[in-house]
């Protein structure tokens, strides 16, 4: 496989290039590559290879989830500066941001958004709110002593 381009899309890394086994251009998800061997051979991508056009044609699946969220002012700079895949970012007068995250499924959306901790509030969809709440409950149950100490600090 001769990798011509690297792209991050829908929370996953892909490489586009020429597959010698298939004799054609292919798009490979990096986390699915089981074995990698760097060869001494070199290659030059074809002059007519258009990475943008190839990726636009290959990365067609439409996200099934559109998470609408609010980020507090403390996270606004980070959100603006990252390319996680926000389809919309709307600055608010109080310094917060409203954002939309297209995602392939609820688990991916929840994983991305929970990483922001209390800096993010999920506005919709409801099933995403429920999943994040279930995960939060499960974490509290996993760490009961720490949960008691945090609850004591909050009162």
């Amino acid at each position: 496989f001769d990798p011509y381009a690297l792209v991050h899309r829908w929370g996953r890394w892909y490489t586009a290039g020429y597959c010698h086994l298939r004799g054609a251009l292919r798009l490979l998800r990096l986390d699915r590559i089981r074995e990698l061997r760097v060869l001494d051979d070199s290659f030059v991508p074809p002059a007519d290879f258009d990475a943008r056009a190839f990726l636009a044609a290959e990365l067609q699946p439409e996200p099934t989830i559109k998470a609408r969220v609010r980020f507090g002012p403390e996270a606004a700079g980070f959100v603006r500066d990252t390319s996680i895949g926000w389809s919309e970012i709307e600055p608010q007068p109080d310094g917060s941001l409203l954002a939309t995250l297209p995602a392939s499924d609820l688990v991916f959306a929840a994983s991305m958004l929970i990483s922001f901790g209390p800096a993010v509030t999920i506005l919709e969809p409801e099933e995403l709110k429920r999943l994040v709440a279930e995960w939060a409950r499960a974490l509290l149950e996993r760490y009961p002593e720490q949960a008691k100490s945090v609850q004591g600090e909050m009162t």
Side-chain angles (χ1 to χ4, degrees):
F1 186 84
D2 298 338
Y4 297 164
L6 186 64
V7 64
H8 187 260
R9 185 70 177 226
W10 310 127
R12 309 238 192 265
W13 283 101
Y14 297 86
T15 183
Y18 183 77
C19 175
H20 292 271
L21 179 65
R22 305 278 187 246
L25 291 175
R26 291 286 192 248
L27 186 66
L28 304 179
R29 213 169 92 181
L30 294 186
D31 64 323
R32 291 185 176 164
I33 296 174
R34 292 186 182 162
E35 184 180 332
L36 180 69
R37 215 170 4 115
V38 178
L39 304 176
D40 292 330
D41 301 342
S42 63
F43 64 90
V44 175
D48 63 345
F49 177 73
D50 182 342
R52 288 184 193 274
F54 178 75
L55 294 170
E58 290 296 310
L59 292 172
Q60 288 299 317
E62 183 66 27
T64 57
I65 303 295
K66 291 199 186 238
R68 190 77 174 138
V69 298
R70 179 188 176 280
F71 287 98
E74 70 278 13
F78 178 77
V79 171
R80 272 193 303 270
D81 295 342
T82 60
S83 59
I84 288 176
W86 313 111
S87 63
E88 299 171 28
I89 297 177
E90 304 166 31
Q92 301 299 298
D94 66 355
S96 66
L97 296 175
L98 294 178
T100 301
L101 174 67
S104 56
D105 57 59
L106 284 173
V107 171
F108 171 73
S111 299
M112 293 300 294
L113 295 172
I114 207 166
S115 70
F116 289 96
V120 66
T121 301
I122 299 169
L123 304 174
E124 56 185 51
E126 288 298 319
E127 59 266 28
L128 180 57
K129 289 184 196 180
R130 278 193 296 278
L131 179 59
V132 169
E134 288 171 18
W135 287 3
R137 270 192 298 281
L139 288 170
L140 287 172
E141 290 170 7
R142 183 166 293 161
Y143 305 103
E145 291 305 312
Q146 292 81 359
K148 285 178 194 172
S149 103
V150 169
Q151 287 172 341
E153 293 170 14
M154 294 172 48
T155 57

